[in-house]
Amino acid sequence: FFPIGMIRAVGNPEIDSIVNMPIIDRATFFKDLDTPTNKYALYLDDGFVQENLMTMDEWEGFINEVNKPLVKNGISLIVKLHPRTDTDILSDFFRENRILAINDVDFKNIVFHSEHVLSHSSSTIVYGMILNKPIVLARWGGMENLVSNYPSEVVCYCHSLEEYQALISSNIPVKDTAEYINKTLGLVDGNAVKRIIESLLKILRS
């Protein structure tokens, strides 16, 4: 083990690219989105089908299920697909249900301009926390016993579709995630790479 005095927390350099990415104004951003409304919820795909935690039919059923109350409230659904998801076999499903599915995307802005972020347990929801978005994690439809990776103080756990519908109809709270981010991610000011370089140069010069 390294002595405490020789350890310096610099932050996560991977997060720098998101933090330092510019925010595009809403009007400009929506010009490039093919959504029926100018409000949308963002579902972050967990890759559960690929991990055999869900069948494709179950996954499609869940997506279709959450889409219906969103549509009733004038909110579109955008699905950020997992990198391993086969988009070709899902194209008809998304087209028929008027759901926008995306792979390559300006991730910071797609999160920033969303009404809320929805997922089961994706690690990428931390970016929703950094950008102060309401976060909803689904715990119904066979996912009741899924491990809760995040404390309820920083995300909203929904245990039924009805509970999700009620949240949509009201204002989903933006929870205070500052302390959680500080404890789990460290500094998220976009300067992690700079601190790494400065620390290495200091060591080399000593």
Side-chain angles (χ1 to χ4, degrees):
F1 294 97
F2 286 99
I4 294 296
M6 295 180 65
I7 299 174
R8 184 182 180 194
V10 296
N12 187 337
E14 184 180 350
I15 293 176
D16 279 6
S17 60
I18 297 293
V19 173
N20 293 328
M21 189 178 295
I23 294 293
I24 301 172
D25 73 87
R26 190 175 180 86
T28 302
F29 181 72
F30 269 87
K31 286 180 182 178
D32 297 325
L33 281 184
D34 184 20
T35 57
T37 68
N38 63 356
K39 295 197 298 183
Y40 65 88
L42 177 66
Y43 174 73
L44 299 176
D45 181 16
D46 307 84
F48 280 179
V49 174
Q50 292 72 28
E51 295 174 8
N52 296 315
L53 295 176
M54 272 182 162
T55 65
M56 183 59 77
D57 285 344
E58 288 171 337
W59 188 84
E60 288 182 356
F62 171 79
I63 295 298
N64 199 30
E65 190 176 53
V66 297
N67 188 43
K68 290 177 180 178
L70 289 169
V71 171
K72 286 182 180 179
N73 284 273
I75 303 172
S76 300
L77 177 61
I78 294 180
V79 176
K80 170 61 177 72
L81 293 169
H82 190 273
R84 290 183 292 163
T85 301
D86 187 344
T87 56
D88 293 336
I89 64 174
L90 288 167
S91 57
D92 289 342
F93 168 76
F94 288 126
R95 184 174 59 254
E96 291 167 4
N97 292 283
R98 300 189 71 190
I99 296 170
L100 177 61
I102 53 177
N103 268 325
D104 297 324
V105 67
D106 178 341
F107 190 68
K108 180 175 184 176
N109 279 283
I110 202 75
V111 172
F112 180 80
H113 291 293
S114 67
E115 299 299 307
H116 65 271
V117 174
L118 171 67
S119 189
H120 284 98
S121 63
S122 175
S123 60
T124 56
I125 70 166
V126 296
Y127 295 106
M129 296 181 190
I130 292 170
L131 295 170
N132 296 311
K133 305 305 296 185
I135 297 169
V136 179
L137 298 186
R139 288 296 183 273
W140 75 86
M143 292 297 155
E144 293 84 354
N145 297 319
L146 192 66
V147 174
S148 299
N149 295 328
Y150 305 95
S152 57
E153 289 79 15
V154 298
V155 298
C156 296
Y157 284 101
C158 274
H159 299 90
S160 68
L161 179 62
E162 291 72 25
E163 190 177 347
Y164 181 55
Q165 290 172 326
L167 273 179
I168 296 169
S169 300
S170 61
N171 291 320
I172 303 176
V174 179
K175 299 200 174 184
D176 185 358
T177 59
E179 183 177 353
Y180 176 81
I181 289 172
N182 185 56
K183 286 183 177 179
T184 59
L185 301 178
L187 295 171
V188 289
D189 58 359
N191 292 314
V193 173
K194 180 181 178 182
R195 281 189 290 271
I196 290 171
I197 294 171
E198 289 175 346
S199 296
L200 290 173
L201 289 174
K202 185 177 180 179
I203 292 171
L204 291 171
R205 290 167 181 162
S206 62

